[in-house]
Amino acid sequence: MEIADGDGIQAITMAAVAGRLGLTTMALYRHVDSRSDLVAVAADAALGRPPATSRRAGWRRQVGEWARAELAQLQAHAWVLDVILEGPPAGPNNVAWMDSGMQAIGRTGLDPQSAASALLVVDGFVRSMVGQARQYGPGTGWARALASVVDPDEFPAVSTALEAGTFDDDEAFPSDQDVEFGLSVVLDGIEQLIAAGSRR
């Protein structure tokens, strides 16, 4: 995990990890079968265990806490998003996060399939925040950069957003406001799903 934090997922090799642990490469093969397995183990370790949520709180607060905690872990170890698993995320920490999230969203009263799908949307939002930050950088100075290339006649909607100060942001992306706004949109959507189910 420390190797990937410093140099990215490509730095996780059998030789590199064995050297860090003071083992021979062949000795490491007694514990994992392949580099893919080694990467999966490292990614699971990077997630850590999910924190306890406020069990007396409603589902919305619990799912929000779960999402913010996952965001913090992925921001600290963004290389996890580069891991392509050859099977389900079956590591102990991955399963613990899944169980914690399912317990929280299970309080909605949604059927298991709908609850799992809703949690997947929450997880997707969190991962998209981290992924966009990696792709676009900190996001500061966007307004000036866009204004220099946007023709109001050709791109009227973007021009209007620029004039409204939409991209005037000196905070690194995603800011707390970005996260809370997006999360509230996702949770509002789940509330609508719950309400629709109660009307059936």
Side-chain angles (χ1 to χ4, degrees):
M1 184 175 72
E2 292 176 359
I3 293 173
D5 285 342
D7 300 310
I9 189 176
Q10 71 280 354
I12 301 179
T13 65
M14 300 294 281
V17 173
R20 181 68 65 91
L21 296 175
L23 302 173
T24 65
T25 302
M26 290 307 298
L28 189 58
Y29 274 108
R30 298 193 190 105
H31 302 280
V32 291
D33 293 331
S34 65
R35 179 180 181 273
S36 295
D37 289 344
L38 184 64
V39 170
V41 169
D44 189 72
L47 284 178
R49 304 295 282 188
T53 56
S54 306
R55 293 302 179 191
R56 294 184 178 180
W59 73 266
R60 185 172 179 124
R61 178 176 171 183
Q62 287 190 33
V63 173
E65 290 176 354
W66 183 90
R68 295 182 193 96
E70 184 188 32
L71 178 67
Q73 285 299 109
L74 291 177
Q75 285 177 322
H77 310 287
W79 57 269
V80 169
L81 298 184
D82 297 327
V83 176
I84 299 176
L85 298 175
E86 296 180 352
N93 290 332
N94 267 292
V95 175
W97 278 91
M98 189 184 307
D99 188 74
S100 175
M102 288 298 294
Q103 286 190 47
I105 208 160
R107 295 173 65 89
T108 61
L110 292 171
D111 64 85
Q113 180 61 62
S114 296
S117 296
L119 185 64
L120 190 62
V121 172
V122 177
D123 176 65
F125 163 72
V126 170
R127 290 171 183 266
S128 73
M129 288 284 98
V130 180
Q132 287 179 35
R134 296 177 75 199
Q135 182 177 5
Y136 299 132
T140 55
W142 278 21
R144 291 187 300 276
L146 281 172
S148 67
V149 298
V150 169
D151 181 341
D153 293 327
E154 186 175 2
F155 306 110
V158 176
S159 180
T160 298
L162 282 166
E163 291 175 1
T166 302
F167 302 107
D168 293 344
D169 192 353
D170 292 328
E171 293 185 75
F173 179 86
S175 66
D176 290 344
Q177 183 178 358
D178 294 325
V179 172
E180 292 307 316
F181 175 80
L183 188 56
S184 69
V185 170
V186 172
L187 297 180
D188 285 349
I190 295 174
E191 283 197 344
Q192 289 298 314
L193 182 64
I194 297 168
S198 67
R199 291 195 294 267
R200 292 174 185 168

